């Protein structure tokens, strides 16, 4: 008799295709911060240099593992203000900002070698460099509740439990069924649920959802939308970030002196995040990372939108 893991018949499940995973060679875990924790555990670093211009959740694995970290500033080009000389047991973490800094990642890898950690949570499509520890997040590019990928050629000798995602899906379902605003509280609650979780394998639900995505279509739409905004806004943008032919952006970063623009967009239900409010406490007004946090608007260019939506954004700017 053949023993099956899945039942045959009964009620139907969600209809999702099996297109395949974009990062099939990576280790699929539950969150980006846990991918970073995995790298830290595998490499036994005692000190890591982190950018001021970054999310405070990056600190979670360092505090958990009691690993020392030091901050560094970046300039308007989203590159290091000053070079950092790494000693034994030290590493440099760099964020591939908005999926637009892959060339700079390559240059850092040439300088730092294997002691570079690449945070590609904003650069899902950027391929990992050989021998360079790299991690990704699914949630910043796709409608999933969790999920992340890590490339690290040193595997930990530990058995990881399987995560599950079914109880973190209500904000995704409610946004479709009710409204974006009605689902926001659920979204915030699910964000809180991700804090402090142990390293676990990606849930079967998230894995299946990630396999159902048409990655080429998503990439093309993001590139098209980015170029529409860049053509109209490049001369008004305080930051110059042209889109490389093989780059797939997370957002269009628009650095503006219009202090009221963020609220004007929000009033018209165009929601733009602030990356990242914690930087205003960590840094000071004299530095570019402070000004980027205060004045940079990440305009949506993702696969949900088209040329008409980009025109709506431009009309308000």
């Amino acid at each position: 008799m053949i023993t099956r893991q899945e039942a045959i018949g009964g009620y139907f499940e969600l209809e999702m295709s099996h297109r395949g995973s974009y990062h099939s060679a990576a280790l699929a875990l539950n969150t980006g911060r846990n991918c970073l924790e995995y790298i830290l555990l595998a490499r036994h670093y005692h000190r890591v240099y982190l950018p001021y211009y970054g999310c405070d959740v990056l600190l979670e694995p360092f505090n958990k593992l009691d690993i020392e970290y030091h901050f560094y500033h970046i300039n308007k080009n989203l590159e290091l203000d000053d070079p950092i000389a790494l000693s034994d047991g030290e590493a440099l973490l760099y964020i591939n900002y908005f999926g637009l800094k892959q060339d700079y990642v390559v240059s850092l890898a040439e300088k730092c070698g294997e002691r570079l950690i690449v945070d590609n949570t904003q650069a899902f499509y950027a391929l990992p460099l050989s021998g360079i520890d790299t991690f990704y997040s699914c949630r910043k590019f796709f409608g999933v509740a969790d999920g992340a990928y890590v490339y690290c050629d040193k595997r930990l000798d530990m058995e990881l439990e399987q995560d599950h995602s079914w109880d973190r899906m209500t904000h995704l379902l409610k946004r479709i069924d009710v409204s974006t605003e009605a689902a926001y509280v659920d979204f915030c609650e699910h964000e809180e649920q991700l804090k402090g979780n142990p390293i676990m394998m990606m849930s079967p639900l998230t894995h299946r959802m990630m396999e159902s995505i048409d990655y080429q279509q998503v990439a093309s739409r993001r590139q098209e939308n980015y170029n529409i905004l860049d053509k109209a806004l490049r001369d008004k943008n305080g930051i110059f970030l042209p889109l490389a032919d093989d780059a797939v952006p997370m957002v269009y970063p628009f650095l503006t002196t219009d202090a009221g623009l963020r609220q004007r967009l929000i009033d018209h239900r165009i929601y733009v995040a602030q990356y990242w409010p914690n930087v205003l406490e960590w840094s000071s007004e004299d530095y570019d990372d402070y000004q980027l946090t205060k004045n940079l608007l990440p305009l949506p260019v993702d696969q949900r939108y088209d040329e008409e939506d980009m025109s709506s954004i431009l009309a308000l700017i």
Side-chain angles (χ1 to χ4, degrees):
M1 180 180 292
I2 299 175
T3 302
R4 293 179 54 88
Q5 292 184 337
E6 295 184 15
I8 297 176
Y11 57 86
F12 283 91
E13 62 189 56
L14 287 172
E15 297 283 347
M16 289 181 285
S17 60
H18 289 279
R19 297 177 185 271
S21 174
Y22 190 82
H23 289 290
S24 58
L27 179 64
L29 300 180
N30 52 345
T31 64
R33 71 199 76 172
N34 281 344
C35 289
L36 175 56
E37 182 178 338
Y38 189 97
I39 293 170
L40 297 175
L41 285 169
R43 298 302 184 192
H44 302 289
Y45 293 122
H46 64 79
R47 182 182 298 113
V48 178
Y49 293 88
L50 306 173
Y52 277 105
Y53 193 52
C55 184
D56 55 3
V57 303
L58 273 178
L59 304 185
E60 190 174 303
F62 291 95
N63 294 331
K64 181 178 179 180
L65 301 175
D66 195 24
I67 294 175
E68 184 180 338
Y69 57 87
H70 289 268
F71 288 117
Y72 64 83
H73 293 286
I74 62 165
N75 55 35
K76 271 191 181 181
N77 294 323
L78 306 176
E79 300 175 2
L80 275 69
D81 247 356
D82 299 301
I84 296 175
L86 297 174
S87 302
D88 291 342
E90 297 183 341
L92 172 74
L93 183 146
Y94 177 76
I95 298 171
N96 189 344
Y97 291 103
F98 315 118
L100 303 172
K101 298 299 295 182
Q102 183 68 5
D103 287 346
Y104 186 63
V105 168
V106 172
S107 69
L108 282 178
E110 292 172 351
K111 296 174 184 176
C112 301
E114 62 184 16
R115 287 185 289 186
L116 175 66
I117 302 172
V118 178
D119 178 343
N120 268 346
T121 55
Q122 294 195 344
F124 185 87
Y125 283 82
L127 297 177
L129 303 178
S130 178
I132 304 297
D133 295 334
T134 307
F135 63 99
Y136 301 78
S137 172
C138 303
R139 296 183 300 131
K140 290 182 171 60
F141 273 73
F142 308 102
V144 293
D146 44 45
Y149 299 101
V150 60
Y151 289 87
C152 180
D153 57 21
K154 186 176 181 181
R155 285 287 190 258
L156 292 175
D157 185 19
M158 58 189 298
E159 188 172 342
L160 301 177
E161 293 184 17
Q162 189 93 58
D163 198 5
H164 61 77
S165 302
W166 63 269
D167 55 350
R168 292 195 289 262
M169 293 285 294
T170 56
H171 68 289
L172 299 170
L173 302 174
K174 191 182 289 185
R175 177 165 182 155
I176 295 173
D177 227 13
V178 186
S179 71
T180 302
E181 293 80 3
Y184 184 68
V185 172
D186 299 68
F187 168 77
C188 293
E189 290 176 354
H190 298 330
E191 287 284 301
E192 285 295 314
Q193 290 174 13
L194 295 176
K195 292 182 179 179
N197 285 349
I199 302 175
M200 302 178 76
M201 298 299 293
M202 182 185 291
S203 76
L205 176 55
T206 298
H207 185 78
R208 180 71 179 276
M209 293 175 75
M210 292 300 295
E211 281 192 330
S212 72
I213 294 167
D214 184 339
Y215 289 103
Q216 184 55 56
Q217 186 275 330
V218 169
S220 297
R221 180 58 62 85
R222 284 176 174 269
Q223 291 165 335
E224 290 166 5
N225 288 339
Y226 187 99
N227 286 326
I228 290 171
L229 293 186
D230 191 48
K231 182 179 179 180
L233 297 176
R234 179 174 291 192
D235 292 341
K236 303 178 179 65
N237 198 346
I239 188 171
F240 179 63
L241 291 171
L243 187 67
D245 291 341
D246 59 348
V248 181
M250 185 177 78
V251 295
Y252 180 78
F254 182 52
L255 187 60
T256 178
T257 56
D258 185 348
L261 179 56
R262 184 189 303 273
Q263 190 58 52
R264 191 157 72 248
L265 290 168
I266 292 173
D267 289 343
H268 287 80
R269 302 184 75 211
I270 298 173
Y271 298 115
V272 288
Q274 184 181 34
Y275 303 133
W276 291 269
N278 50 278
V279 181
L280 300 179
E281 299 177 7
W282 293 353
S283 187
S284 64
E285 294 185 19
D286 298 331
Y287 293 98
D288 286 341
D289 37 42
Y290 185 100
Q291 298 303 325
L292 288 167
T293 300
K294 187 176 180 181
N295 299 315
L296 187 142
L297 303 182
L299 302 177
V301 297
D302 60 74
Q303 59 271 20
R304 297 170 291 180
Y305 310 115
D306 57 19
E307 184 175 358
E308 183 178 350
D309 298 305
M310 297 303 100
S311 296
S312 296
I313 293 173
L314 291 172
L316 291 168
I317 297 175

